[in-house]
Amino acid sequence: MLQVSSVTKYFNDQKIFSGFNLKVDQGQFHVIIGPSGCGKTTLFDALTGVIELDEGTLSWKQKLVFNLTHHAAYMQQKDMLLPWFSLLDNALLPSKTGGQNMVNAKKQALKLFNRLGLSEYESHMPNQVSGGMRQRCALVRTLMFNRDLILLDEPLSALDTITRRSLQSLLLLLQTEFKKTILMITHDIEEALLLADEIYLLSPQPMTISRHFILDQPKPRKFNDPVLLKIKADVLDKLEGDLIHEP
Amino acid sequence: MNRNNLLAALLIALILGLWEFFVHILAVPVFILPPPSSIFTTAVIQAPRILPHAVITLTEILMGIGLALCTAVPLAIIMFAKPALEKAFAPFLVASQAIPVFALAPLLVVWLGYGIASKVFMAWVIIFFPICISLLEGLKSCDPEFKILFRLMGASFFKKLMLLYWPWALPRFFAGLKVGVTVATIGAVIGEWVGAQQGLGFLMIQSNARLQVDLVFAAILWLTAMGLSMWWIVGILEKRIIKWN
């Protein structure tokens, strides 16, 4: 279980968040939605160790940790593929840097390439494939971290709508097939409704959880589920309300 | 030949044509300014005489480049790994460029002798800075988001260097190397002017004293051809190595 307890972060006396709490149970898919600039990325920066928290604690699997550097895999909005490596070599980066057995790692990566619809593209260079394929490769690389916790920072927001929809089903595989614990930031409410077990709706700075939705509908879900449509309307209402009241 | 190359060739032809024309019209003596036709003829006819000197100068330049690579690359990496060291070394690096190479040349001949060592050292002084600084800037220009990704992977500095920083810095490194190899001729020739028994610089000084100005120009032509060839070779290497750009 990932537990974020009473964390606080200031930037030059400006309170980004204070006493912020979050809990993601093992194997759960939790999603954070909030207005731009509310502090979501600062929270992820703190989780990944880019910045230090001023107060509060983080724990992963009941152990206190300074940050999640050695515990989480991370996938960002940009595919972050190195242009000088083939798709396969990009996917193998976590294994290369971690000093793993490369024969086994290659077998695992090829299996994932096959599973995520990238077979026969292993030796292609990133500039030879589409944005969707690059992001699939980034997803394989994320899985090659071989870590139980995955942080997703708007991983599909740079893609067109059609490609995004096809990749959302692959994100779901992270939970259903690969049994990962996932915390994702997104701006796409429908994406959150399709994937999340719990949605945290955040307020503008100082960032707090303004609404918390628990979604127990079975997955894969459909957009036209009346319960989901009701939650979507609630989320939009709340976001619009926050924007109106924003100073 | 593309449009740009054609324009460059036309411009060169125009300059040489005007030069040839005015030298003949104004009847400029050959020992003051020989016409381009005479320079080209001398450069070809005197090739057996120029070649041994060119080989010496080229050797000095190549050794200077080798020495610069062996020192500038590790220093740039060390300064990148330890920014405190960059701050410590920066004044020396800048000073190495602020001191006129001409002022150093006589001293180097005194210290290192009339042989090849003083010229290699001169070439090294000139090449070192562009390679070191461009590589350092290239390493520092790495996208911070990639640094985060590699840190999350738990990569050691060596792994990050090999897989991320070095390939990232290669375009800038080659830009610096291109500058380095073209200016390297300056260092070697200045060294030869001050004190040498062979080399194109030595040939130029000797020919100048004997008013063989066409031979001076022929030596300059050879030097230019050497500089351009090295620039071209580095360009080819760059294209072969940096395939992703």
Side-chain angles (χ1 to χ4, degrees), chain B residues 220-240:
Chain B
I220 292 173
L221 192 64
W222 275 68
L223 264 178
T224 311
M226 275 159 51
L228 278 175
S229 307
M230 285 188 291
W231 186 83
W232 179 69
I233 290 167
V234 173
I236 289 176
L237 273 177
E238 184 184 15
K239 273 190 188 152
R240 286 261 170 104

Side-chain angles (χ1 to χ4, degrees), chain A residues 70 159 172 240:
Chain A
H70 299 290
L159 301 173
L172 194 56
E240 279 168 16

Side-chain angles (χ1 to χ4, degrees), chain A residues 49 69 74 78 84 96 147, chain B residues 145-146 151-152 159 163 167:
Chain A
T69 303
Y74 189 32
K78 287 194 266 176
W84 43 88
K96 284 179 186 169
R147 290 177 184 167
Chain B
E145 289 190 62
F146 277 106
R151 210 162 49 81
L152 281 168
K159 293 268 184 181
L163 300 169

Side-chain angles (χ1 to χ4, degrees), chain A residues 45 48-51 67-70 72-74 76 78 80-85 93-94 96-99 125 127 141 145 147, chain B residues 142-156 159-160 162-169 171 241-245:
Chain A
D45 281 349
T48 52
V50 176
I51 55 167
N67 56 50
L68 299 167
T69 303
H70 299 290
Y74 189 32
Q76 290 132 301
K78 287 194 266 176
M80 307 299 291
L81 298 183
L82 293 172
W84 43 88
F85 286 136
L93 278 176
K96 284 179 186 169
T97 53
M125 301 305 279
N127 62 4
R141 184 186 58 201
F145 273 75
R147 290 177 184 167
Chain B
C142 182
D143 186 337
E145 289 190 62
F146 277 106
K147 291 184 193 173
I148 297 169
L149 184 70
F150 271 71
R151 210 162 49 81
L152 281 168
M153 290 180 201
S156 63
K159 293 268 184 181
K160 280 190 260 190
M162 299 311 291
L163 300 169
L164 176 65
Y165 297 135
W166 177 255
W168 193 280
I241 293 171
I242 309 174
K243 287 180 185 161
W244 59 91
N245 257 10

Side-chain angles (χ1 to χ4, degrees), chain B residues 22-33:
Chain B
F22 281 108
V23 164
H24 283 296
I25 289 290
L26 302 173
V28 180
V30 176
F31 61 86
I32 301 286
L33 182 66

Side-chain angles (χ1 to χ4, degrees), chain A residues 75 79 81 87 91 112-119 121 129-143 155-156 159 162-170:
Chain A
M75 186 171 163
D79 54 66
L81 298 183
L87 294 189
L112 290 170
F113 266 67
N114 194 31
R115 183 69 187 90
L116 300 189
L118 275 176
S119 51
Y121 288 95
V129 297
S130 66
M133 281 189 173
R134 285 203 295 272
Q135 208 57 337
R136 278 168 202 247
C137 179
L139 196 56
V140 175
R141 184 186 58 201
T142 307
L143 285 165
L156 309 182
L159 301 173
I162 297 168
T163 314
R164 200 184 313 160
R165 294 288 171 252
S166 73
L167 276 170
Q168 278 161 356
S169 57
L170 295 182

